[in-house]
Amino acid sequence: MTRFSLTFVAIAFAAALSFNAAAQVLGSGSHTPAAAGELTKKYQPIADRIIAETLKDNRAYDKLTELCDDIGHRLSGSKNLERAVDWAVATLKRDRHENVRAEPVMVPHWVRGRESAEMIEPRHMELSMLGLGGSVATPAEGITAEVVAVTDREELESLGEAVRGKIVVFNHAMPPYTEERGTSYGTTVQYRSNGAAWAAKNGAVAALIRSVTARSLRSPHTGAMRYEDGVTKVPTAAISIEDADTIYRLCKRGVKVVIRLKMEARFEPDAPSANVVAELRGREKPEEVVVIGGHLDSWDVGQGAHDDGGACIAAWHALLAIKEL
């Protein structure tokens, strides 16, 4: 490239971000529309060259295919994650990136185990469920309890002692995406993150949350949850939109709903892993650093193409395009 002003750009593929929010440190300063327009004008030709470079072949897609099909899921603490780390280091070196390395780090190691949920009253129905990452287990025989179904936290709090000893089902709907509203993910995901603690504070024995998605074909979504210090840890899982709606309708008609939940989830001791880093050294501003990347781990029930393999490969090939230009 004819002009590249940073000392280096580094890509860092974090080994595990599934259970801990990633801290994002952004530069501060004055950003006005006029200033943004000037930056766009200045760097548009360079951006156009980078984009054209990335579109000339399918090498990025080929790498994503290897990561997802040859290695598969990369749950934090698993052997597959370590295979992915080794693969990333070797492939980055093959792309002739600079200072490629694996920086050791300890990562959480949660194991899903076998799990199931079934409605046993007023009729038998197997529920489509996935335990939430970080959940505790049920007793070996499971938890069998009557259900309290609510749409939001306020409705839960209004029930008082009626929640004690029950399984709470949060049927909090995520509305479909619109350009005006966006995804509503940020507000809806609070029920996945905090539902177990909210339910336990009210005496519940377990919590089930409606999957955090606007579309479903009885396909539950897993994801991270968290407990609160000093609050009883109760098992928690996601169920499909369709199942959550069915349970909610029954409860609102006054029909008694009983669910049996079984989960073997557990935490193993933190496991050794690594963050994978590669660099492209620049020449004009030695004090400036840009870091881009993503998390290399993924949930155990898929291939991790979307979360977050695609972003890792996009960052990788952004750097590769700049290097090759």
Side-chain angles (χ1 to χ4, degrees), residues 6 13 69 71 89 103 111 140 155 157-158 163 169 172 196 218 228-229 231 249 252 271 283 285 291 293 313 317:
L6 297 176
F13 302 140
D69 287 349
I71 297 173
V89 169
E103 299 181 343
V111 178
E155 186 177 359
E157 299 295 339
S158 72
V163 178
V169 172
H172 188 79
R218 287 200 80 208
E228 292 185 19
D229 292 341
V231 178
R249 288 194 303 268
K252 292 310 166 185
R283 61 183 178 269
K285 295 187 177 181
V291 180
I313 301 301
H317 272 258

Side-chain angles (χ1 to χ4, degrees), residues 74-95:
R74 305 170 296 282
L75 190 63
S76 173
S78 69
K79 292 182 179 179
N80 273 13
L81 176 58
E82 299 320 298
R83 290 181 60 211
V85 167
D86 293 342
W87 169 85
V89 169
T91 310
L92 283 162
K93 288 181 177 179
R94 192 162 61 243
D95 279 348

Side-chain angles (χ1 to χ4, degrees), residues 152-203:
D152 54 34
R153 186 182 184 184
E154 289 71 25
E155 186 177 359
L156 173 70
E157 299 295 339
S158 72
L159 295 176
E161 282 297 307
V163 178
R164 190 165 301 280
K166 307 289 183 22
I167 295 175
V168 173
V169 172
F170 289 101
N171 189 36
H172 188 79
M174 178 176 174
Y177 170 86
T178 66
E179 288 192 11
E180 296 78 16
R181 182 177 56 237
T183 67
S184 300
Y185 178 84
T187 54
T188 311
V189 77
Q190 296 300 317
Y191 287 84
R192 189 185 75 200
S193 301
N194 304 308
W198 293 344
K201 286 179 180 178
N202 288 273

Side-chain angles (χ1 to χ4, degrees), residues 110 112 115-116 129-135 220-225 236-238 261 263 265 299-301:
W110 179 79
R112 179 178 301 279
E115 57 187 13
S116 65
M129 64 83 73
L130 283 174
L132 297 182
S135 175
H221 293 200
T222 191
M225 55 77 59
T236 182
L261 176 67
M263 296 174 61
W299 291 107
D300 55 321
V301 291

Side-chain angles (χ1 to χ4, degrees), residues 142-153:
I143 293 174
T144 302
E146 187 177 347
V147 166
V148 170
V150 298
T151 56
D152 54 34
R153 186 182 184 184

Side-chain angles (χ1 to χ4, degrees), residues 221-295:
H221 293 200
T222 191
M225 55 77 59
R226 58 175 175 261
Y227 292 112
E228 292 185 19
D229 292 341
V231 178
T232 302
K233 295 180 179 181
V234 299
T236 182
I239 59 176
S240 70
I241 288 177
E242 295 87 344
D243 290 351
D245 275 339
T246 298
I247 293 166
Y248 185 78
R249 288 194 303 268
L250 286 165
C251 289
K252 292 310 166 185
R253 288 173 47 220
V255 177
K256 180 180 178 180
V257 176
V258 176
I259 285 176
R260 179 181 295 119
L261 176 67
K262 291 184 178 182
M263 296 174 61
E264 293 181 344
R266 68 186 188 278
F267 265 108
E268 299 287 346
D270 286 358
S273 187
N275 294 326
V276 181
V277 181
E279 297 176 4
L280 172 61
R281 303 192 69 82
R283 61 183 178 269
E284 292 185 13
K285 295 187 177 181
E287 75 283 1
E288 293 192 8
V289 176
V290 172
V291 180
I292 58 175
H295 62 88

